[in-house]
Amino acid sequence: MTTIKLHNTKSRSKEAFAPIDPQNVRMYVCGPTVYDRAHLGNARPVVVFDVLFRLLRHVYGADHVTYARNFTDVDDKINARAAESGREIGEITAETTQWFLDDMGALGALEPTHMPRATQYIPQMVAMIADLIDRGHAYAAEGHVLFAVDSWREGYGQLSGRSVDDMIAGARVEVAPYKKNPMDFVLWKPSDAEQPGWESPWGRGRPGWHIECSAMSHDLLGESFDIHGGGNDLMFPHHENEIAQSCCANPKGEFARYWLHNEMLQVEGKKMSKSLGNFFTVRDLLDKGVPGEVVRFVFLQTHYRKPMDWTEKKAAVAEATLRKWRALTAGIEPTASAAAAVVDALADDLNTAGAIAEMHKLAAAGDAAGLLAAGQLLGLLSEDMGAWAKGPVVDLSAHEAQLFAARQAAMETKDFAEVDRLKAAYTEAGLEVRMSKTGVELVPGTGFDAAKLEGLE
Ligand SMILES: [Zn+2]
């Protein structure tokens, strides 16, 4: 059996992965808060952990992997969205949840085994909070319940590698009169008549954010499970707080044994932000005509623990590559399983870039069946993701030869007018023009329009 190696944030090293129960490998990943469309950065962990899900299914069998990813459908951002739009909370969360599933489906992400909603797990959260109070790890104050970090000084901060004192000195902690220690965090808070709330031993209120992942992972995966994933922006405080809650409520369990964190996404070398004007959603890209498969391919070219830079140029090159691969694999049956080199690359801490390099080798060798099998393992080249590439494949070789000949002639005459005219026309048609001493390559970009090439010969 293939040995998967994963970089465990907990040990800060790459470890051989050994599941608690190979018959039921269990993974939990923090999901979205549902009040708006997912932006491109939100999609990165979805694609990263989808690849891990596929790899685990490949190695342990599709029926032997349980993957849970939550929807946070109770949150003050949702309440604010409801207040400003005048819409019902339930309507907003239901609509946004479906948007998320549709958009991530367009990126080829399989649906997890379980997709729990926080509002469906309030009794389990209340029970866990009551248990934490009984065990001396939490206290009620002014309608709130807080986790007491001083009750677990030995464990708190281990994942992110900081001490409680460092955290207090460095973090922007919310100071509140009812907190015993400024690092104590909210498990339960009171709701007013306008806010969503549930009856509890501490009055009508709603859960804090962190407790839902502890309660839902416990309910669905048990007190010890294999992998916990999320973006590295969640490491502190969210994951640190999940660990504190779960380990203190279930001291016999280990909670999650392997912690995986993906790095963040940038756009054209800059952090994506509304103020920089480079903020966009997955749906924005899809509506612009960028195929979901192209987005996925661009993501997978960068290792998940490195910052990933989204650029239009990468998208154009990815589209051209996928077009070629789809033409090569059309009507072909995949080999029974992906080549060992592809599986080995993925098993080495999800080296997706290495797996794609192997796919390039298979394509260069004309091994269409092998290429297709590798694509299936990575969630690429599938039939249902391929509608975008169904259009006739345009043979650009005549155009490439024409431009090359024009340039050869211009080198003699020193008159480049014809070269410039052709270059401008190809660019206008959505082609990227790459010229070297030995040849010309025309690469279709996302806005490529074959109709504009008519009459150019
Ligand atoms: Zn979480």
Side-chain angles (χ1 to χ4, degrees), residues 60-75:
Y60 295 97
D63 297 335
H64 300 289
V65 184
T66 305
Y67 172 19
R69 186 187 64 212
N70 64 311
F71 283 107
T72 300
D73 61 352
V74 50
D75 186 277

Side-chain angles (χ1 to χ4, degrees), residues 28 30 213 228 238-239 242:
Y28 185 92
C30 297
C213 290
H228 192 309
H238 182 57
H239 290 161
E242 280 187 35

Side-chain angles (χ1 to χ4, degrees), residues 164-237:
V164 175
D165 294 328
D166 287 348
M167 286 187 252
I168 294 172
R172 282 188 303 173
V173 288
E174 193 191 338
V175 182
Y178 47 79
K179 283 187 181 180
K180 289 182 183 166
N181 180 315
M183 290 310 295
D184 291 352
F185 57 89
V186 169
L187 301 173
W188 189 261
K189 55 189 170 185
S191 294
D192 63 28
E194 306 295 309
Q195 291 164 327
W198 291 263
E199 292 307 326
S200 82
W202 320 286
R204 184 177 174 278
R206 59 197 192 282
W209 171 37
H210 316 296
I211 193 72
E212 70 178 79
C213 290
S214 287
M216 295 190 286
S217 63
H218 180 260
D219 198 72
L220 294 166
L221 306 178
E223 61 183 19
S224 303
F225 57 93
D226 299 300
I227 298 168
H228 192 309
N232 67 356
D233 55 332
L234 297 182
M235 202 187 300
F236 179 80

Side-chain angles (χ1 to χ4, degrees), residues 138-431:
Y139 58 95
E142 298 180 31
H144 293 72
V145 180
L146 293 125
F147 185 92
V149 297
D150 286 324
S151 75
W152 203 55
R153 279 224 166 211
E154 70 276 23
Y156 196 70
Q158 272 182 12
L159 180 73
S160 50
R162 19 186 156 187
S163 72
V164 175
D165 294 328
D166 287 348
M167 286 187 252
I168 294 172
R172 282 188 303 173
V173 288
E174 193 191 338
V175 182
Y178 47 79
K179 283 187 181 180
K180 289 182 183 166
N181 180 315
M183 290 310 295
D184 291 352
F185 57 89
V186 169
L187 301 173
W188 189 261
K189 55 189 170 185
S191 294
D192 63 28
E194 306 295 309
Q195 291 164 327
W198 291 263
E199 292 307 326
S200 82
W202 320 286
R204 184 177 174 278
R206 59 197 192 282
W209 171 37
H210 316 296
I211 193 72
E212 70 178 79
C213 290
S214 287
M216 295 190 286
S217 63
H218 180 260
D219 198 72
L220 294 166
L221 306 178
E223 61 183 19
S224 303
F225 57 93
D226 299 300
I227 298 168
H228 192 309
N232 67 356
D233 55 332
L234 297 182
M235 202 187 300
F236 179 80
H238 182 57
H239 290 161
E240 208 67 79
N241 293 354
E242 280 187 35
I243 293 172
Q245 294 161 164
S246 293
C247 291
C248 290
N250 306 293
K252 290 197 187 111
E254 296 176 81
F255 192 37
R257 302 170 81 205
Y258 299 81
W259 282 84
L260 268 69
H261 289 97
N262 65 276
E263 255 289 349
M264 295 293 101
L265 176 135
Q266 300 180 322
V267 174
E268 307 286 349
K270 295 196 178 74
K271 188 176 186 254
M272 183 158 81
S273 80
K274 284 191 172 141
S275 61
L276 285 173
N278 64 354
F279 182 94
F280 51 89
T281 66
V282 172
R283 180 52 52 181
D284 290 337
L285 273 185
L286 297 172
D287 286 350
K288 250 176 64 181
V290 180
E293 187 177 31
V294 167
V295 177
R296 184 180 183 93
F297 191 84
V298 171
F299 277 18
L300 297 183
Q301 285 174 316
T302 302
H303 190 257
Y304 75 96
R305 291 200 296 115
K306 289 187 182 142
M308 133 99 226
D309 193 18
W310 172 268
T311 68
E312 285 197 13
K313 182 162 178 143
K314 280 187 191 172
V317 175
E319 184 170 332
T321 302
L322 285 169
R323 227 178 250 286
K324 276 184 201 158
W325 288 0
R326 281 196 169 274
L328 185 62
T329 55
I332 297 276
E333 286 294 316
T335 53
S337 69
V342 177
V343 178
D344 288 350
L346 287 185
D348 183 13
D349 194 29
L350 296 186
N351 181 2
T352 49
I356 287 174
E358 293 298 331
M359 288 178 76
H360 279 289
K361 285 185 205 164
L362 292 168
D367 184 353
L371 179 65
L372 197 53
Q376 289 184 344
L377 183 59
L378 283 159
L380 297 166
L381 303 178
S382 66
E383 186 66 35
D384 56 340
M385 282 186 93
W388 67 273
K390 280 273 155 47
V393 177
V394 182
D395 183 0
L396 295 168
S397 56
H399 291 283
E400 288 168 345
Q402 171 175 249
L403 180 53
F404 187 65
R407 197 180 65 153
Q408 296 298 92
M411 301 294 270
E412 299 289 319
T413 61
K414 304 292 173 210
D415 177 3
F416 284 85
E418 175 64 2
V419 174
D420 291 342
R421 184 188 75 85
L422 286 172
K423 271 171 74 177
Y426 291 135
T427 306
E428 165 63 22
L431 292 166

